[in-house]
Amino acid sequence: MSTKVGILGYGNLGRGVEEAVKRNADLELTGVYTRRDPSSISINTASVPVKSTDDLDNGKEDIDVLVICGGSATDLPEMTPKYAALYNVIDSFDTHANIPLHFDNVNAASKKAGKTALISCGWDPGMFSLNRVYSHSILPDGRDYTFWGRGVSQGHSDAIRRIDGVLDARQYTVPVPSALERVRNGENPELSTREKHTRECWVVAEDGADKDRIEQEIKTMANYFSDYDTTVNFISEQELKRDHSGLPHGGSVIYTGATGDGTNKHIIEYSLKLDSNPEFTGSVLVAYARAVARLNKEGVTGCKTVLDIAPAYLSPLSAEELRAHYL
Amino acid sequence: MSTKVGILGYGNLGRGVEEAVKRNADLELTGVYTRRDPSSISINTASVPVKSTDDLDNGKEDIDVLVICGGSATDLPEMTPKYAALYNVIDSFDTHANIPLHFDNVNAASKKAGKTALISCGWDPGMFSLNRVYSHSILPDGRDYTFWGRGVSQGHSDAIRRIDGVLDARQYTVPVPSALERVRNGENPELSTREKHTRECWVVAEDGADKDRIEQEIKTMANYFSDYDTTVNFISEQELKRDHSGLPHGGSVIYTGATGDGTNKHIIEYSLKLDSNPEFTGSVLVAYARAVARLNKEGVTGCKTVLDIAPAYLSPLSAEELRAHYL
């Protein structure tokens, strides 16, 4: 019996989840739910219905796990607790500071309903979080560094697009090579925000727009760019499409720790190089969706995070197969 | 209340476990057990008794988890099932092909006794196994490569020492840089044993020994060296002590997978650079010893592997603290 997956929200991430489900024979996509007009959306999986989110409200949809693909700013804080009271759910909530509050809300809803939820799944938070916890637990005396990129930040790209005179933009977050090298060498440097990453912007301006003003507005934008060394490049719409239409990303969690009398150093690095951020994130969500469905069948309810899930729960293989072939 | 740890076997690994316990405030070493004469052994932790393994036999020692530091060839297949019937135990059994049998023996003993056991813990098997399972689960269409080194292989060093005319030896396993590079580039190459690693030997020969014969015996030794490009260097005892007395090791698990229509590639790499193999392995064992003690308190019995343990169980921090600071 396959596990039935529903997708709420059909943007980049929803399509990534859809592709990931196709690659897992034990999973089956049973519905895509949207807040838009369902008839306006054509999905990549033939024979799967596109429905309105209203159809979810009675809790009767035939879904083992609902993958909620919304934004962390306003969508998920409302959606995940709401649907956690009706279905097993999983999301990729990534506003780190608000995770405890989001957890409490989702936990209360899912526990009361006898459902299982998992929040903040993906690669950061997600796989990077796992690696931070494994490393700190193994080597208590040490510190972790996280570098992101080279990759497209959609939040930063959107921020540039909101500037007057900008037609389109793509922003890459780039780790500073010398900083990466110092950390990998075990130097344990203190690094400021500016010393860790640079920001590289590719901007399509309106005809006749004041490019100097746009460049200044980008470089001085608080929270997004002012703390970084930022470069701004103006290109044509065709060039943007040709050279910057992908959504690559990645990064590294590097942990340096000591043992014995402190002279023995150990470096643990987990790194990702992703051609498609939404397709990889969708793949992580789908593996954890399998775990959520299993836990619910075992009677485990309430909200979980990736830290609460044993690795074997992510795999379609049996415990015997995993021990024989992967240990 | 601290978790009481016993160590069985006081070689390099036992000392690594001892050092790791010191760095974890919630753990306490309560005894070191040896098959040698206890009075002949002086340990690094004052006030902790050294006892005979005979003292373990009545199951009455005050231990929450016994860390069994023995060899995989003959020690652990006997010891771990024996002590799993008396205590919660953990070992680092690493003969991959025999893991299923070892698991069954330990599982039967620990289940019957209401105890919790964990086998094959360390970094390979161990942290590398975890990464193989996470990656295969997230990206079902892909393959993993494991590279070891640069690091000291104690088994290969021992094999050289058994050759007539050899006083001492140290063997390094070295990954082939061009092979690593091809894998990291996502080329998915087919690599033979010889193409993945080379073996580098540092040998102290007896005065007047036939060095050509020794070199030939090393290079043609089946299972250990004949499938590899091996270099043999003769040095003095003083040089061996000065330049090769450490036990560094490490390596990488590199996974390459595809999503979407197959054109989007993703590379996941987990890599370790360890100054001391036994101290790092001891640190992994100690983090999982904490998990074993917890699981037993929760009533979970029988044999587990690292694949069955949720990451949060390794940490001394609460679930709330982990969510707030590491997710």
Side-chain angles (χ1 to χ4, degrees):
Chain A
M1 267 269 291
S2 57
T3 297
K4 292 168 181 159
V5 176
I7 296 172
L8 198 174
Y10 197 68
N12 285 326
L13 182 57
R15 281 190 291 271
V17 171
E18 179 186 25
E19 290 304 315
V21 170
K22 282 186 196 167
R23 288 178 178 266
N24 287 279
D26 61 325
L27 305 180
E28 181 194 354
L29 182 63
T30 53
V32 169
Y33 300 86
T34 179
R35 289 174 292 183
R36 295 178 272 169
D37 172 7
S39 70
S40 72
I41 289 173
S42 141
I43 67 170
N44 294 324
T45 314
S47 81
V48 169
V50 180
K51 299 184 177 181
S52 161
T53 50
D54 295 342
D55 292 326
L56 290 166
D57 288 352
N58 63 6
K60 298 270 169 67
E61 292 294 290
D62 190 18
I63 297 169
D64 293 315
V65 190
L66 181 66
V67 185
I68 306 181
C69 303
S72 294
T74 55
D75 296 341
L76 298 178
E78 290 220 344
M79 283 176 161
T80 311
K82 173 181 173 179
Y83 295 108
L86 300 167
Y87 303 94
N88 301 316
V89 298
I90 179 168
D91 78 15
S92 60
F93 184 79
D94 67 358
T95 311
H96 289 262
N98 297 338
I99 287 174
L101 174 65
H102 188 55
F103 180 90
D104 289 340
N105 292 339
V106 176
N107 192 41
S110 56
K111 258 231 157 91
K112 197 172 161 196
K115 301 292 182 188
T116 312
L118 193 142
I119 61 161
S120 301
C121 186
W123 58 275
D124 195 6
M127 301 311 294
F128 277 15
S129 321
L130 284 181
N131 277 280
R132 288 190 275 265
V133 169
Y134 276 125
S135 296
H136 277 279
S137 302
I138 292 169
L139 300 174
D141 295 303
R143 61 184 289 180
D144 66 78
Y145 294 83
T146 302
F147 289 90
W148 295 277
R150 173 190 170 94
V152 172
S153 165
Q154 305 205 57
H156 288 79
S157 302
D158 288 343
I160 299 172
R161 283 188 205 104
R162 288 191 292 264
I163 293 174
D164 200 43
V166 171
L167 286 175
D168 204 352
R170 193 56 55 107
Q171 193 269 184
Y172 294 89
T173 305
V174 185
V176 174
S178 61
L180 257 175
E181 200 188 315
R182 290 181 63 197
V183 171
R184 284 186 177 134
N185 285 343
E187 293 179 31
N188 274 356
E190 294 296 331
L191 295 168
S192 66
T193 298
R194 190 178 300 274
E195 287 169 324
K196 284 181 74 186
H197 297 93
T198 54
R199 299 200 174 277
E200 186 186 299
C201 310
W202 301 86
V203 181
V204 181
E206 284 173 11
D207 272 352
D210 180 348
K211 291 180 178 171
D212 286 345
R213 175 190 53 82
I214 291 172
E215 182 167 343
Q216 277 317 301
E217 280 195 39
I218 294 172
K219 288 184 169 178
T220 57
M221 196 186 296
N223 300 320
Y224 287 89
F225 293 99
S226 60
D227 293 338
Y228 298 85
D229 289 336
T230 302
T231 54
V232 178
N233 309 278
F234 289 93
I235 54 175
S236 71
E237 206 157 353
Q238 292 80 349
E239 287 169 318
L240 192 81
K241 200 164 230 172
R242 187 190 67 201
D243 301 334
H244 305 284
S245 62
L247 291 169
H249 219 315
S252 298
V253 176
I254 308 175
Y255 190 88
T256 57
T259 59
D261 62 4
T263 52
N264 284 328
K265 310 279 190 196
H266 309 285
I267 300 173
I268 307 171
E269 178 166 353
Y270 180 81
S271 70
L272 297 174
K273 229 170 91 186
L274 312 174
D275 276 356
S276 165
N277 185 358
E279 287 181 6
F280 185 79
T281 303
S283 299
V284 178
L285 281 164
V286 159
Y288 278 95
R290 175 185 288 122
V292 166
R294 279 188 184 166
L295 286 169
N296 188 259
K297 272 193 192 139
E298 292 178 7
V300 176
T301 62
C303 189
K304 306 288 165 192
T305 75
V306 295
L307 306 177
D308 304 310
I309 310 294
Y313 276 85
L314 307 191
S315 173
L317 301 179
S318 70
E320 290 75 14
E321 290 171 305
L322 288 175
R323 281 195 297 272
H325 303 296
Y326 293 95
L327 208 62
Chain B
M1 267 269 292
S2 58
T3 297
K4 291 168 181 159
V5 176
I7 296 173
L8 198 175
Y10 197 69
N12 285 327
L13 182 57
R15 279 190 291 272
V17 172
E18 179 186 24
E19 291 302 316
V21 170
K22 282 186 196 168
R23 288 177 178 267
N24 287 279
D26 62 323
L27 306 180
E28 181 194 354
L29 183 63
T30 54
V32 169
Y33 300 86
T34 178
R35 289 175 291 184
R36 294 177 273 169
D37 174 5
S39 68
S40 72
I41 289 173
S42 143
I43 68 169
N44 294 324
T45 314
S47 81
V48 169
V50 180
K51 299 183 176 183
S52 162
T53 49
D54 295 342
D55 291 326
L56 289 166
D57 287 353
N58 63 6
K60 298 269 170 67
E61 291 294 292
D62 190 17
I63 297 169
D64 293 315
V65 190
L66 181 65
V67 185
I68 307 181
C69 302
S72 295
T74 55
D75 295 340
L76 296 177
E78 290 221 344
M79 282 177 162
T80 311
K82 174 180 171 181
Y83 295 109
L86 300 166
Y87 302 94
N88 301 316
V89 298
I90 180 167
D91 78 14
S92 60
F93 185 79
D94 67 358
T95 311
H96 289 260
N98 296 339
I99 286 174
L101 174 64
H102 188 55
F103 180 91
D104 288 341
N105 292 339
V106 176
N107 192 41
S110 56
K111 257 230 159 96
K112 197 172 161 198
K115 301 292 183 188
T116 312
L118 193 143
I119 61 162
S120 301
C121 186
W123 57 276
D124 196 5
M127 300 312 294
F128 277 15
S129 321
L130 285 182
N131 278 280
R132 287 189 276 265
V133 169
Y134 277 124
S135 296
H136 277 279
S137 302
I138 293 169
L139 300 174
D141 295 303
R143 62 185 287 182
D144 66 78
Y145 293 84
T146 303
F147 289 91
W148 296 276
R150 173 190 170 99
V152 172
S153 165
Q154 303 206 57
H156 289 79
S157 302
D158 290 343
I160 299 172
R161 284 189 203 102
R162 287 192 292 264
I163 292 174
D164 201 42
V166 171
L167 287 175
D168 204 352
R170 192 57 53 107
Q171 194 269 183
Y172 294 87
T173 307
V174 185
V176 174
S178 61
L180 256 175
E181 200 188 317
R182 290 181 64 197
V183 171
R184 286 188 177 133
N185 286 342
E187 293 179 31
N188 275 353
E190 293 295 331
L191 295 168
S192 67
T193 298
R194 190 178 301 274
E195 288 169 322
K196 284 183 73 186
H197 297 92
T198 55
R199 298 199 174 277
E200 184 186 300
C201 311
W202 300 85
V203 181
V204 182
E206 283 174 12
D207 272 352
D210 181 347
K211 289 179 179 174
D212 287 344
R213 174 192 51 82
I214 291 172
E215 182 166 344
Q216 277 316 303
E217 281 195 39
I218 294 172
K219 289 185 169 177
T220 57
M221 197 186 297
N223 300 321
Y224 287 89
F225 294 99
S226 60
D227 291 339
Y228 298 86
D229 290 336
T230 301
T231 55
V232 178
N233 309 280
F234 290 94
I235 55 174
S236 70
E237 207 157 352
Q238 292 80 350
E239 287 169 317
L240 191 80
K241 199 164 231 169
R242 187 191 65 202
D243 302 332
H244 305 284
S245 62
L247 292 169
H249 219 315
S252 298
V253 177
I254 307 175
Y255 190 87
T256 56
T259 59
D261 63 3
T263 51
N264 284 329
K265 310 279 189 196
H266 309 285
I267 300 174
I268 307 171
E269 177 165 353
Y270 179 81
S271 70
L272 297 174
K273 228 171 91 184
L274 312 174
D275 276 356
S276 165
N277 185 358
E279 287 180 7
F280 185 79
T281 303
S283 299
V284 178
L285 281 165
V286 160
Y288 277 96
R290 175 184 289 122
V292 166
R294 280 189 183 164
L295 287 169
N296 188 260
K297 271 192 192 139
E298 293 178 6
V300 176
T301 63
C303 190
K304 306 288 164 192
T305 74
V306 296
L307 306 177
D308 304 309
I309 310 294
Y313 276 86
L314 307 190
S315 173
L317 301 178
S318 70
E320 290 77 13
E321 289 171 305
L322 289 174
R323 281 195 297 272
H325 302 298
Y326 293 96
L327 207 61

